Amino acid sequence: MRVLLIEDDRMIGEAVEEALKEASYASDWVRDGELASAALDHQDYDIVLLDLGLPKIDGLEVLRAIRTRRDPIPVLIITARDAVQDRIAGLDSGADDYLLKPFELGELLARMRAVIRRKGGVSGPMLCNGSISLNPATREATVNGVAMRLSGKEFSLLHALLIRPGAILSRSELEDRIYGWGDEVESNAVEFLIHSLRRKLGSDAIKNVRGVGWMVSKGD
Ligand code: CA
């Protein structure tokens, strides 16, 4: 999962970014509305965390621009603006949820999971495919009911595949889900992670489509 964090407050930004990394999200952090728009033009994100009071372009404008181009990306507003009118304006401009500062990082992560789940059309907390289940809250996988410990990057890669069953993801698409700006991308990292996931989950859990990428089967 790749997150765009749009926040001009350094202390809040640092705290959120650290919590995101700990929860195995790849995250990119921008501090004004202009950089946010540029990032959204050039990179695919799974969710946006949006402060409203931002330099250069206001957060609500950033949000309206996202929705004007019919981009369905989940947007969670994080702001100190607590007036009811601000909340209404945020939700009516296309935000999926709204969290008031100061907030607990645990609640932020839980709301992110809920918003991502709703947008993906998944109602339950678990991602299931065949004999494999993945719990995004605990980052634990089970195979036929047997728990498997995953590294943070193994979790991110498996999650990227499980939320799009039947879709083939290329190496660079998978790298995009695992690494944010400034993260060093190890060569062959994707192959290495697929190899170790197959060892843990069974050799047919993740299918290779030669020359194209990897996928999990749809609908079983
Ligand atoms: Ca702000």
Side-chain angles (χ1 to χ4, degrees), residues 7-9 51-54 101:
E7 170 61 76
D8 63 322
D9 184 291
D51 180 28
L52 292 184
L54 289 171
K101 294 171 184 168

Side-chain angles (χ1 to χ4, degrees), residues 2 21 26-28 175-176 178-185:
R2 186 145 178 177
K21 282 203 168 32
S27 67
D28 300 332
E175 283 173 352
D176 271 356
I178 301 172
Y179 298 102
W181 302 333
D183 289 337
E184 199 178 324
V185 183

